[in-house]
């Protein structure tokens, strides 16, 4: 699958996975892991972390993997969740 095709699947899965998180989009790119294997890196952007089901964002990688395998994509998925409301607004000062 192309990165664009993967991004469409990723967006559909994550938008419905945790609607209360306010899914804003995802960046998808093919990459190589430390063993030289082809992988998929996904950075999902959300407005906020869901309060009732905090583990839902973590478990999303399983849904992504299942959806991609169903489309014939077998590469491993590395998922990073970027939650806007948790971003640090001021830099750390040592």
């Amino acid at each position: 699958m192309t990165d664009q095709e993967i991004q469409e699947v990723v967006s559909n899965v994550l938008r419905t996975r945790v609607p209360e998180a306010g899914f804003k989009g995802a960046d998808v790119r093919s990459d190589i892991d430390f063993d030289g294997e082809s992988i998929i890196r996904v950075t999902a952007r959300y407005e906020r972390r869901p309060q009732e089901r905090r583990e839902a964002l973590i478990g999303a990688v399983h849904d992504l993997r299942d959806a991609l395998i169903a489309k014939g994509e077998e590469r491993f998925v590395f998922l990073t969740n970027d939650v806007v409301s948790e971003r640090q607004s001021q830099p750390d000062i040592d």
Side-chain angles (χ1 to χ4, degrees), residues 57-75:
L57 294 183
I58 296 168
V61 73
H62 299 294
D63 290 349
L64 289 176
R65 182 105 168 93
D66 290 345
L68 291 169
I69 286 173
K71 298 273 188 180
E73 178 58 67
E74 296 185 2
R75 289 180 286 173

Side-chain angles (χ1 to χ4, degrees), residues 3-29:
D3 287 354
Q4 181 61 38
E5 292 169 327
I6 294 168
Q7 185 162 1
E8 289 176 27
V9 172
V10 166
S11 293
N12 289 335
V13 169
L14 296 179
R15 185 174 291 108
T16 59
R17 168 89 174 152
V18 192
E20 66 271 21
F23 178 73
K24 296 178 62 93
D27 298 317
V28 173
R29 69 182 173 95

